[in-house]
Structures are given as C-alpha cells and as structure tokens.
Amino acid sequence: MSQQQPITPELLLMVDAIARHGSFARAARELGKVPSAVTYAIRKLEDGLDVLLFDRSGHRAQLTAAGQTLLRDGRRVLQSLDDLAYRVRRVATGWEVELRIAVSALLPWRPFYDLIEAFRQVGVSTTLRFTNEVLSGTWAALVSGRADLVIGADAAGAPAGAFQSRAMGRARFSFCVAPHHPLVEVASQRRLTAEDIAAHCAVVVSDTSRDLPPRTRGLLTQQPMIIMPTMQDKIEAQVRGLGCGYLPLSLASTYISNGLLVACDTEEGIAMYEDLAYAWQAKRPGAGLAWWLDRLKSPRLCASLLDG
C-alpha cells in the first residue's frame, strides 16, 4: 500500500503565506488559524518529506533551498488547481467565471459603461476584467492568452494565430498641440513638415505589448520624447503644451472643440487613420463572450467607439 502524499493544497497555501510574511504567526492570522496549528502542520510536512523547509534561527522564517523549490513549484500546482476549478464551473454553467477584455487606448470608455451595466443586468456572476492596451498590446494580450476578447486592435497589424476577428471601422487621427504651442503659428501659415515637428518634444504612450515587437505612431527619429503611462495622460500633457503628437479624434475632438487643443495640418507621409477590429480566440466562446460578441455586431456601437 503506497504511503500517503504529505503535500496538500492547504499546506502549499501555508508555505506561501509564511514565505510572504516571514512569520508563522502572521501567516496564521491571514489563514484564520492559530499559530500552533500552522507550526504543527509545517513540522509534520517537514517530517513527511524528511527535509527542512524553513530556517527558524533568525527573527524571520526564511525558506531553505528545499523550501524555495516547494514554494515555486507549489504555486504552479495551486494555479493549475484554480484553472481546473474554473474550467469545471464554466462547463457546468456555460458562463465564464472571469472574462478578460483588452480595450485599445484609442477608444473612449463612456460606451463601455452602458455595456457593463447591461451585462450586469443579465444576472450572471461573471467577473469582468478590463485592461487598456496601446498599439501592439491589444494583439499581444490575445496571442499570449491574457485576454479573451480584444476591442479596437489595428486590423493591419494582426499577427498569425488561432483567433477570429471582425472589422469595426476606421479611427481617425489628427496632429494636435496646445493653443500656446509654437507650432500653432507655423501651422497657421502652412502645413507642418517633418522638420517642423522634429524640432519639438513629442508626447507618446508606450506600447503595452510584452510579446510582440513594439510599435510607434508618427514618431520621428531623434525627436525628444515624453513617455506617458496612459492615453489620457498624453492628452493632458499636450493640453498643457508639454509636447505635441498625433491623437485619435475619438478622444481629442472634445478638447479641440473646447479650444484646449489645436488640430494642425501636416504634410503627407503619415496615415491619418487606422482600421480597427475586435478579435477573440477561435475556440467556442462561453456565454459571456458570446454576449459581448453579439453587442459588438452593432454598427451604432462601433460608431460610438470610433467617433467618441
């Protein structure tokens, strides 16, 4: 008869908590147990494995080399168990436990709030997790499996992969500066040239891709840059006159109409539009993803996302 396996998910959680806190007592508080129970469980695990997992000689409980191996591989086991539970619940209900949606930074958020409200009224318990992605980041989120659905990806930049996509329409861009920016006077007399633009600081948002080659839009070689964390931060920086750059009219049109930004004509060479798409994994969608795909078929919704 085989010996009982000493490692259990509960013990892996204990090892993880002790390693993070460096204390058996703090780990016990987190886990809702008395310290003596945690201490006894870990000692029993060490006896069962015939190894020392923690060095208790100092003020903090430190993992030994064996303990570090158990923690590293144990976290993978716990993640696998979570994934298994997710798949079982999804098969049982048809609704995803969590739906991950990557949204292009080119798109306004206002239309999404109505969609989220409508989704919640369906009465499902699916968690919606949104991320905001820039340039190649939208496709990278789908290819890497970080997103189940991407909305507003550049159709021309679609990588190879087992996914399906549908066209949304065309996003338009304009080169924008603050009313007090030096380029406004130049633009009032003629179209801006590449040399005009290169002489001034550009405000950009960094590509959020972790896997695909990063891209840029309208950035000239050797042009000084300010790299902002979000598209909204980029807009605010340009409103303050800190730099210049291309902005999607879906987000910038309100600032232009209110006089906070000036749209300048530029010479040919940079496309002033981008064809966008939404895409998802080719496998059969769950009920939550199917709901979103059905809504995205609406030309009115896509127009509201592209026109702001």
Side-chain angles (χ1 to χ4, degrees), residues 101 107 112 115 149-152 166-168 277-280 289-302 305:
I101 303 175
L107 303 181
F112 286 103
L115 285 170
L149 170 67
V150 298
I151 304 175
R166 298 288 184 275
M168 292 179 62
Y278 61 94
W280 66 100
L289 177 54
W291 186 96
W292 280 83
L293 294 176
D294 184 62
R295 296 307 184 278
L296 286 167
K297 293 177 183 176
S298 167
R300 179 177 295 181
L301 172 61
C302 290
L305 291 170

Short mmCIF file of all heavy atoms in Angstrom, two decimals, residues 101 107 112 115 149-152 166-168 277-280 289-302 305:
data_model
loop_
_atom_site.label_atom_id
_atom_site.label_comp_id
_atom_site.label_asym_id
_atom_site.label_seq_id
_atom_site.Cartn_x
_atom_site.Cartn_y
_atom_site.Cartn_z
N ILE A 101 -11.12 41.38 -20.99
CA ILE A 101 -11.34 42.18 -22.19
C ILE A 101 -10.25 43.25 -22.28
O ILE A 101 -10.11 44.08 -21.38
CB ILE A 101 -12.73 42.84 -22.17
CG1 ILE A 101 -13.82 41.78 -22.03
CG2 ILE A 101 -12.95 43.68 -23.42
CD1 ILE A 101 -15.22 42.33 -21.88
N LEU A 107 -9.87 54.12 -27.84
CA LEU A 107 -11.33 54.15 -27.73
C LEU A 107 -11.78 54.86 -26.45
O LEU A 107 -11.15 54.73 -25.39
CB LEU A 107 -11.88 52.73 -27.74
CG LEU A 107 -11.51 51.87 -28.95
CD1 LEU A 107 -12.15 50.49 -28.83
CD2 LEU A 107 -11.93 52.55 -30.25
N PHE A 112 -18.61 51.90 -23.00
CA PHE A 112 -18.41 50.64 -22.29
C PHE A 112 -19.20 50.59 -20.98
O PHE A 112 -19.62 49.51 -20.55
CB PHE A 112 -16.93 50.41 -22.01
CG PHE A 112 -16.15 50.00 -23.23
CD1 PHE A 112 -15.33 50.90 -23.89
CD2 PHE A 112 -16.24 48.70 -23.73
CE1 PHE A 112 -14.62 50.54 -25.02
CE2 PHE A 112 -15.54 48.32 -24.86
CZ PHE A 112 -14.73 49.24 -25.51
N LEU A 115 -22.49 49.19 -21.67
CA LEU A 115 -22.39 47.76 -21.93
C LEU A 115 -22.23 46.97 -20.63
O LEU A 115 -22.84 45.91 -20.44
CB LEU A 115 -21.22 47.48 -22.86
CG LEU A 115 -21.40 47.83 -24.33
CD1 LEU A 115 -20.06 47.73 -25.05
CD2 LEU A 115 -22.42 46.91 -24.98
N LEU A 149 -10.97 38.61 -25.22
CA LEU A 149 -11.53 39.47 -26.27
C LEU A 149 -10.72 40.75 -26.33
O LEU A 149 -10.38 41.32 -25.28
CB LEU A 149 -13.00 39.79 -25.94
CG LEU A 149 -13.71 40.86 -26.78
CD1 LEU A 149 -13.89 40.39 -28.22
CD2 LEU A 149 -15.06 41.21 -26.16
N VAL A 150 -10.37 41.18 -27.53
CA VAL A 150 -9.72 42.49 -27.69
C VAL A 150 -10.61 43.36 -28.56
O VAL A 150 -11.22 42.88 -29.53
CB VAL A 150 -8.30 42.37 -28.32
CG1 VAL A 150 -7.39 41.56 -27.41
CG2 VAL A 150 -8.34 41.74 -29.69
N ILE A 151 -10.70 44.62 -28.20
CA ILE A 151 -11.57 45.56 -28.90
C ILE A 151 -10.75 46.77 -29.33
O ILE A 151 -10.13 47.42 -28.49
CB ILE A 151 -12.74 46.02 -28.01
CG1 ILE A 151 -13.53 44.80 -27.49
CG2 ILE A 151 -13.67 46.96 -28.77
CD1 ILE A 151 -14.63 45.16 -26.50
N GLY A 152 -10.73 47.03 -30.63
CA GLY A 152 -10.01 48.19 -31.15
C GLY A 152 -8.59 47.90 -31.59
O GLY A 152 -7.76 48.81 -31.65
N ARG A 166 -13.41 40.63 -36.48
CA ARG A 166 -14.41 41.33 -37.28
C ARG A 166 -14.03 42.80 -37.33
O ARG A 166 -13.54 43.37 -36.35
CB ARG A 166 -15.80 41.18 -36.68
CG ARG A 166 -16.31 39.75 -36.60
CD ARG A 166 -16.68 39.19 -37.97
NE ARG A 166 -17.26 37.85 -37.86
CZ ARG A 166 -16.57 36.73 -37.80
NH1 ARG A 166 -15.23 36.77 -37.83
NH2 ARG A 166 -17.17 35.56 -37.71
N ALA A 167 -14.28 43.42 -38.47
CA ALA A 167 -13.96 44.84 -38.64
C ALA A 167 -14.91 45.71 -37.82
O ALA A 167 -16.10 45.39 -37.69
CB ALA A 167 -14.05 45.21 -40.12
N MET A 168 -14.37 46.78 -37.26
CA MET A 168 -15.17 47.74 -36.51
C MET A 168 -15.40 49.02 -37.30
O MET A 168 -16.45 49.65 -37.19
CB MET A 168 -14.48 48.10 -35.19
CG MET A 168 -14.39 46.99 -34.18
SD MET A 168 -13.53 47.53 -32.66
CE MET A 168 -14.64 48.84 -32.10
N ALA A 277 -10.39 46.52 -35.42
CA ALA A 277 -11.15 45.27 -35.39
C ALA A 277 -11.29 44.81 -33.94
O ALA A 277 -10.57 45.26 -33.05
CB ALA A 277 -10.44 44.20 -36.22
N TYR A 278 -12.24 43.92 -33.72
CA TYR A 278 -12.29 43.20 -32.45
C TYR A 278 -12.01 41.74 -32.76
O TYR A 278 -12.30 41.25 -33.86
CB TYR A 278 -13.61 43.40 -31.71
CG TYR A 278 -14.86 42.93 -32.43
CD1 TYR A 278 -15.38 41.65 -32.21
CD2 TYR A 278 -15.55 43.79 -33.29
CE1 TYR A 278 -16.54 41.24 -32.85
CE2 TYR A 278 -16.71 43.38 -33.93
CZ TYR A 278 -17.21 42.10 -33.71
OH TYR A 278 -18.35 41.69 -34.35
N ALA A 279 -11.41 41.03 -31.81
CA ALA A 279 -10.98 39.66 -32.08
C ALA A 279 -11.07 38.82 -30.82
O ALA A 279 -11.04 39.33 -29.70
CB ALA A 279 -9.55 39.66 -32.62
N TRP A 280 -11.17 37.50 -31.02
CA TRP A 280 -11.27 36.57 -29.91
C TRP A 280 -10.67 35.23 -30.30
O TRP A 280 -10.45 34.96 -31.49
CB TRP A 280 -12.73 36.42 -29.46
CG TRP A 280 -13.64 35.77 -30.48
CD1 TRP A 280 -14.07 34.48 -30.49
CD2 TRP A 280 -14.24 36.40 -31.64
NE1 TRP A 280 -14.89 34.25 -31.57
CE2 TRP A 280 -15.02 35.42 -32.29
CE3 TRP A 280 -14.19 37.70 -32.18
CZ2 TRP A 280 -15.73 35.68 -33.45
CZ3 TRP A 280 -14.91 37.97 -33.35
CH2 TRP A 280 -15.67 36.97 -33.96
N LEU A 289 -18.72 35.72 -23.31
CA LEU A 289 -18.05 36.22 -24.51
C LEU A 289 -19.04 36.31 -25.66
O LEU A 289 -19.01 37.28 -26.44
CB LEU A 289 -16.88 35.31 -24.87
CG LEU A 289 -16.11 35.66 -26.15
CD1 LEU A 289 -15.62 37.10 -26.13
CD2 LEU A 289 -14.95 34.69 -26.36
N ALA A 290 -19.92 35.32 -25.79
CA ALA A 290 -20.93 35.35 -26.86
C ALA A 290 -21.82 36.58 -26.72
O ALA A 290 -22.21 37.19 -27.72
CB ALA A 290 -21.77 34.07 -26.82
N TRP A 291 -22.13 36.97 -25.48
CA TRP A 291 -22.95 38.17 -25.23
C TRP A 291 -22.24 39.42 -25.77
O TRP A 291 -22.85 40.25 -26.44
CB TRP A 291 -23.22 38.31 -23.73
CG TRP A 291 -24.17 39.40 -23.36
CD1 TRP A 291 -25.51 39.29 -23.13
CD2 TRP A 291 -23.84 40.79 -23.15
NE1 TRP A 291 -26.04 40.51 -22.80
CE2 TRP A 291 -25.04 41.46 -22.80
CE3 TRP A 291 -22.68 41.54 -23.23
CZ2 TRP A 291 -25.09 42.82 -22.54
CZ3 TRP A 291 -22.72 42.91 -22.97
CH2 TRP A 291 -23.91 43.54 -22.63
N TRP A 292 -20.95 39.55 -25.47
CA TRP A 292 -20.19 40.72 -25.93
C TRP A 292 -20.05 40.72 -27.45
O TRP A 292 -20.15 41.78 -28.09
CB TRP A 292 -18.82 40.76 -25.25
CG TRP A 292 -18.91 41.32 -23.86
CD1 TRP A 292 -19.26 40.65 -22.72
CD2 TRP A 292 -18.70 42.69 -23.47
NE1 TRP A 292 -19.26 41.50 -21.65
CE2 TRP A 292 -18.93 42.76 -22.08
CE3 TRP A 292 -18.33 43.83 -24.16
CZ2 TRP A 292 -18.80 43.94 -21.36
CZ3 TRP A 292 -18.19 45.02 -23.45
CH2 TRP A 292 -18.43 45.07 -22.07
N LEU A 293 -19.82 39.56 -28.03
CA LEU A 293 -19.68 39.48 -29.49
C LEU A 293 -20.98 39.89 -30.18
O LEU A 293 -20.96 40.54 -31.22
CB LEU A 293 -19.27 38.07 -29.90
CG LEU A 293 -17.87 37.61 -29.46
CD1 LEU A 293 -17.64 36.16 -29.86
CD2 LEU A 293 -16.79 38.51 -30.05
N ASP A 294 -22.10 39.51 -29.58
CA ASP A 294 -23.39 39.89 -30.16
C ASP A 294 -23.57 41.40 -30.12
O ASP A 294 -24.08 42.01 -31.08
CB ASP A 294 -24.51 39.19 -29.40
CG ASP A 294 -25.88 39.46 -30.00
OD1 ASP A 294 -26.10 39.07 -31.17
OD2 ASP A 294 -26.72 40.07 -29.32
N ARG A 295 -23.17 42.04 -29.04
CA ARG A 295 -23.31 43.51 -28.92
C ARG A 295 -22.37 44.22 -29.90
O ARG A 295 -22.72 45.27 -30.45
CB ARG A 295 -23.02 43.97 -27.49
CG ARG A 295 -24.00 43.47 -26.44
CD ARG A 295 -25.44 43.78 -26.80
NE ARG A 295 -26.38 43.39 -25.77
CZ ARG A 295 -26.85 42.16 -25.60
NH1 ARG A 295 -26.40 41.18 -26.39
NH2 ARG A 295 -27.74 41.89 -24.67
N LEU A 296 -21.19 43.69 -30.10
CA LEU A 296 -20.21 44.34 -30.97
C LEU A 296 -20.60 44.26 -32.44
O LEU A 296 -20.00 44.93 -33.28
CB LEU A 296 -18.82 43.71 -30.77
CG LEU A 296 -18.13 44.10 -29.46
CD1 LEU A 296 -16.93 43.21 -29.20
CD2 LEU A 296 -17.71 45.57 -29.49
N LYS A 297 -21.61 43.48 -32.78
CA LYS A 297 -22.11 43.46 -34.15
C LYS A 297 -22.83 44.75 -34.51
O LYS A 297 -23.05 45.04 -35.69
CB LYS A 297 -23.07 42.28 -34.34
CG LYS A 297 -22.44 40.91 -34.26
CD LYS A 297 -23.50 39.83 -34.39
CE LYS A 297 -22.92 38.44 -34.25
NZ LYS A 297 -23.98 37.39 -34.31
N SER A 298 -23.19 45.54 -33.51
CA SER A 298 -23.97 46.76 -33.73
C SER A 298 -23.15 47.85 -34.39
O SER A 298 -22.16 48.33 -33.81
CB SER A 298 -24.51 47.28 -32.39
OG SER A 298 -25.00 48.59 -32.52
N PRO A 299 -23.51 48.30 -35.60
CA PRO A 299 -22.80 49.41 -36.24
C PRO A 299 -22.88 50.69 -35.41
O PRO A 299 -21.93 51.48 -35.39
CB PRO A 299 -23.53 49.57 -37.58
CG PRO A 299 -24.18 48.25 -37.84
CD PRO A 299 -24.56 47.75 -36.48
N ARG A 300 -23.99 50.88 -34.71
CA ARG A 300 -24.13 52.09 -33.89
C ARG A 300 -23.12 52.09 -32.74
O ARG A 300 -22.51 53.11 -32.43
CB ARG A 300 -25.55 52.18 -33.35
CG ARG A 300 -25.78 53.40 -32.45
CD ARG A 300 -27.22 53.49 -32.00
NE ARG A 300 -28.12 53.72 -33.11
CZ ARG A 300 -29.43 53.84 -33.00
NH1 ARG A 300 -29.99 53.75 -31.78
NH2 ARG A 300 -30.19 54.06 -34.05
N LEU A 301 -22.94 50.92 -32.10
CA LEU A 301 -21.97 50.83 -31.02
C LEU A 301 -20.56 51.09 -31.54
O LEU A 301 -19.79 51.86 -30.94
CB LEU A 301 -22.03 49.45 -30.36
CG LEU A 301 -20.91 49.15 -29.34
CD1 LEU A 301 -20.96 50.13 -28.19
CD2 LEU A 301 -21.02 47.71 -28.84
N CYS A 302 -20.20 50.47 -32.64
CA CYS A 302 -18.86 50.66 -33.20
C CYS A 302 -18.64 52.13 -33.59
O CYS A 302 -17.55 52.68 -33.37
CB CYS A 302 -18.64 49.75 -34.42
SG CYS A 302 -18.52 48.00 -33.96
N LEU A 305 -17.86 54.15 -30.54
CA LEU A 305 -16.49 53.92 -30.06
C LEU A 305 -15.46 54.63 -30.93
O LEU A 305 -14.44 55.12 -30.42
CB LEU A 305 -16.20 52.42 -30.03
CG LEU A 305 -16.94 51.60 -28.99
CD1 LEU A 305 -16.75 50.12 -29.20
CD2 LEU A 305 -16.49 51.99 -27.58
#
